[in-house]
Amino acid sequence: MQEMEPPPGYGQQGIAYPPILPKPPQEVIRYTDLSNNAKAVSEDVARDALIRYIDTTCCWGTGPAKKANIQTEAWSSIACIIESFVEYRVPMWNQVPHKGEYFTPLGGGYAPQPWEIIAQPIPFFSPTVEDIEVPYTSTVFTCPECHGHRRVKCNNCGGDGKLRCNICGGDGHITTHHDGKSERRSCGHCGGDGRIRCNHKDCNGTGKITCPTCDGFANVRKYAFVRRTHEILKHSTVVDSIPDSELSPDLITAAGGLEILKAQAVNIAPPQGFSPDLDHALVQLDIIASNDILSKNAYLHQERLEIKSVPVSKATAKVDDTTFHYW
């Protein structure tokens, strides 16, 4: 039995290109009340935060922090987050022992393309990996490792069936010392042969083990399968109203805040009607997310959009002639 040519679309392992969903019409939201209404934390809260930071990360004492003159002011940052739940389908090949089970042979019917395969739906935003066998791609042929003999040379003993004795080191004799005298005698572990039976449970001294490729069935089956992967792609941006902010956008995105908008749909177009800066940022974020999906040849199942206002307090502390600030 010889291996046959693969069906169309499965000649090489690679990426399968999914169908592309068009964007729906833009949703216009007349929501313009994004004024900075955040409240600054109190001086006591800011001082306590500074003392706790010093206690855990700094080597200098908390005395300066306790006597520092601290002033606080509040700002708002707008965090925008797009999460895309996508699917990849990658055609691959696998080879397993053929134990006589039923299979759909290559050429016996139509082998569907990766995105034509009907698969079970997955709950949205639940990352998974699943392998699906492609029908009518199987071929059965003689095992290339054992050539149909079912057993191969044991790697433990090199096919010899025996190993060097671990007591006498292969010499066959051992030397004992008693009452200041030395006596050389035959090794009782190997019987003086210097070698012992291979301890591999399948070899057991025969020098052969069951072929790991065909599992001792002499034939193997090669078939195509599609690796179906679901993943969440996350993209975010921050529209910052804080002058000269040194904060990482990731910190603002991860923080809690006042919900401005939450939406989930098959394909969300960037909403408009906010401030010009936020409208522009949403369009840019949507372009980045869409290009990422296209570049990875992924199929978009669902999107989540979150826009939130995150209050940020800036504390300015003065100790003697030194002034510094923290967030």
Coordinates of all heavy atoms in Angstrom, one line a residue, residues 19 73 86 240 297:
P19 N -13.9 33.5 5.4 CA -14.7 34.6 4.8 C -14.6 35.9 5.6 O -14.4 35.9 6.8 CB -16.2 34.0 4.8 CG -16.1 33.0 5.9 CD -14.7 32.4 5.9
E73 N -5.1 66.9 42.8 CA -6.0 67.4 41.8 C -6.5 66.2 40.9 O -5.8 65.2 40.8 CB -5.3 68.5 40.9 CG -4.0 68.0 40.3 CD -3.3 69.1 39.5 OE1 -4.0 69.9 38.9 OE2 -2.0 69.2 39.5
V86 N -12.1 35.5 17.9 CA -11.9 35.1 16.5 C -11.6 33.6 16.5 O -11.3 33.0 17.5 CB -10.7 35.9 15.9 CG1 -11.0 37.4 15.9 CG2 -9.4 35.6 16.7
D240 N -6.3 60.8 26.7 CA -5.9 61.4 28.0 C -6.1 62.9 28.0 O -5.7 63.6 27.2 CB -4.4 61.0 28.1 CG -4.0 60.9 29.6 OD1 -4.7 61.3 30.4 OD2 -2.9 60.2 29.8
N297 N -5.4 36.1 9.4 CA -6.3 35.2 8.7 C -7.4 34.6 9.6 O -7.6 33.4 9.6 CB -5.6 34.1 7.9 CG -4.6 34.7 6.9 OD1 -5.0 35.5 6.1 ND2 -3.4 34.3 7.0

